[in-house]
Amino acid sequence: MRATVLVRPKPGILDPQGEAVGSALGHLGFEVRDARVGKVIDFEVDATNAADAKAKVERMCEQLLANPLIESYEIEVTA
Amino acid sequence: MAMPRPRIGVVTYPGSQDDRDALWALAALDAEAVPVWHEKRDLSRLDAVVLPGGFSYGDYLRCGAIARFSPATAAVCEFAEAGGLVLGICNGFQILCEAGLLPGALLRNETLRFVCRDARLRVERNLLPFTSRCTAGQLLVIPVKHGDGRYVPPPGLDPAQVVLRYVDNPNGSIDGIAGVCNEAGNVMGLMPHPEHAVDPLLGSDHGALILASLVDSARRHALAAA
């Protein structure tokens, strides 16, 4: 199954990259607020069904893909 | 009786850069500096271990996140849990945080710029194996060189675990924290590079206070084990 993990800086964690991107968008004339920069991790995972895949990816997030002190994550699983 | 030279290991990961400077500095301070390859699992003959600066495993994903899984890091965790002295410098500090041996995390500098300059530090805790040659409140000048040095402590970090604080915060670290230790006080990490400041010819020899403290403590361990 195809898994997509979305990792974001947690609320309250200063994100200077997000601020720089927000400011650059402002220079282009786009009015944006609270820009945040995270990362996307995509991969294939062997699993019997979506719930199994999600449980596996959850463990990957906790052990490696996100640092729970500073990052939150969202998991999406598709067949 | 001659004082024994303590054996202090310096781990080399793929991407480590400051391992040779750390080996040189420790040897200059009268330790037997021992290179430790990242595939090594046994640290039992060492009196202390240093994790050096650099960009281990390319620092992919997060700084220190991949190095955490190397055999040497597993050995360092066991060594620290048994009370062994572990000092992490820069990338070594990031690895110790990722491995859970030290609290907190290190994020991209507030300015988004790599910072490379002398930093002024205040010694907040001087009765540790890593700071015994310092006095409380002493000002040290030790260089920093990093892009990801903004320290974020966990909620409720015990202030007693803050060992060093920046006088002029170069990276946006919360409360200016430059170095922390674990609760037991046998593991310490700092972003500044003491191994680059052991000879006055290079601008400052204040880094020698940190490393010589470690050598003193490791020597006591060697004497006790002898």
Side-chain angles (χ1 to χ4, degrees):
Chain A
M1 305 195 80
R2 191 85 195 152
T4 297
V5 177
L6 197 58
V7 180
R8 291 191 170 95
K10 273 190 173 172
I13 295 285
L14 175 72
D15 177 23
Q17 281 192 91
E19 286 180 4
V21 169
S23 147
L25 287 170
H27 286 303
L28 288 173
F30 297 106
E31 285 298 318
V32 304
R33 284 174 302 282
D34 297 332
R36 311 280 282 171
V37 173
K39 58 190 119 180
V40 171
I41 304 158
D42 268 327
F43 50 90
E44 292 286 332
V45 56
D46 288 331
T48 49
N49 55 46
D52 177 38
K54 200 157 179 176
K56 277 186 179 160
V57 178
E58 185 97 30
R59 290 204 301 279
M60 296 178 200
C61 288
E62 278 162 21
Q63 290 174 41
L64 175 66
L65 300 181
N67 180 333
L69 177 64
I70 49 171
E71 294 167 330
S72 63
Y73 59 84
E74 263 174 50
I75 299 168
E76 201 176 284
V77 170
T78 49
Chain B
M1 182 186 132
M3 293 292 270
R5 294 171 76 214
R7 288 170 55 84
I8 303 184
V10 177
V11 179
T12 297
Y13 296 99
S16 291
Q17 288 179 328
D18 302 323
D19 42 341
R20 277 178 288 180
D21 277 26
L23 289 163
W24 182 88
L26 290 165
L29 296 168
D30 202 31
E32 183 185 346
V34 183
V36 176
W37 187 236
H38 66 106
E39 287 171 339
K40 190 173 162 127
R41 289 175 183 276
D42 179 17
L43 306 177
S44 58
R45 293 189 57 237
L46 298 177
D47 299 303
V49 180
V50 172
L51 302 192
F55 300 87
S56 55
Y57 300 93
D59 272 348
Y60 296 132
L61 193 65
R62 295 180 306 277
C63 299
I66 311 291
R68 187 183 127 205
F69 297 98
S70 94
T73 307
V76 166
C77 289
E78 287 171 23
F79 186 80
E81 277 154 25
L85 297 170
V86 178
L87 177 67
I89 300 167
C90 195
N91 191 227
F93 183 15
Q94 295 162 340
I95 294 167
L96 292 174
C97 286
E98 282 285 339
L101 288 180
L102 287 175
L106 293 142
L107 300 186
R108 183 68 54 88
N109 293 347
E110 192 174 36
T111 57
L112 291 177
R113 288 176 194 208
F114 192 94
V115 55
C116 181
R117 63 173 171 85
D118 281 337
R120 290 190 300 152
L121 310 164
R122 193 171 59 240
V123 177
E124 299 285 1
R125 201 168 158 196
N126 68 319
L127 297 175
L128 285 168
F130 314 94
T131 53
S132 52
R133 289 207 184 194
C134 305
T135 53
Q138 185 173 3
L139 285 183
L140 305 178
V141 175
I142 298 180
V144 292
K145 47 164 194 160
H146 57 247
D148 298 77
R150 175 166 50 107
Y151 182 73
V152 177
L157 175 72
D158 182 349
Q161 288 180 249
V162 177
V163 184
L164 298 169
R165 238 184 261 276
Y166 299 109
V167 175
D168 34 17
N169 196 339
N171 52 30
S173 288
I174 304 286
D175 296 332
I177 295 172
V180 297
C181 65
N182 64 347
E183 282 180 21
N186 65 313
V187 180
M188 177 182 162
L190 75 169
M191 286 312 293
H193 287 267
E195 79 283 16
H196 295 336
V198 294
D199 189 318
L201 261 183
L202 296 176
S204 165
D205 59 358
H206 294 173
L209 293 170
I210 307 269
L211 295 177
S213 299
L214 175 65
V215 173
D216 289 346
S217 310
R219 183 174 284 123
R220 277 194 292 278
H221 179 268
L223 279 167

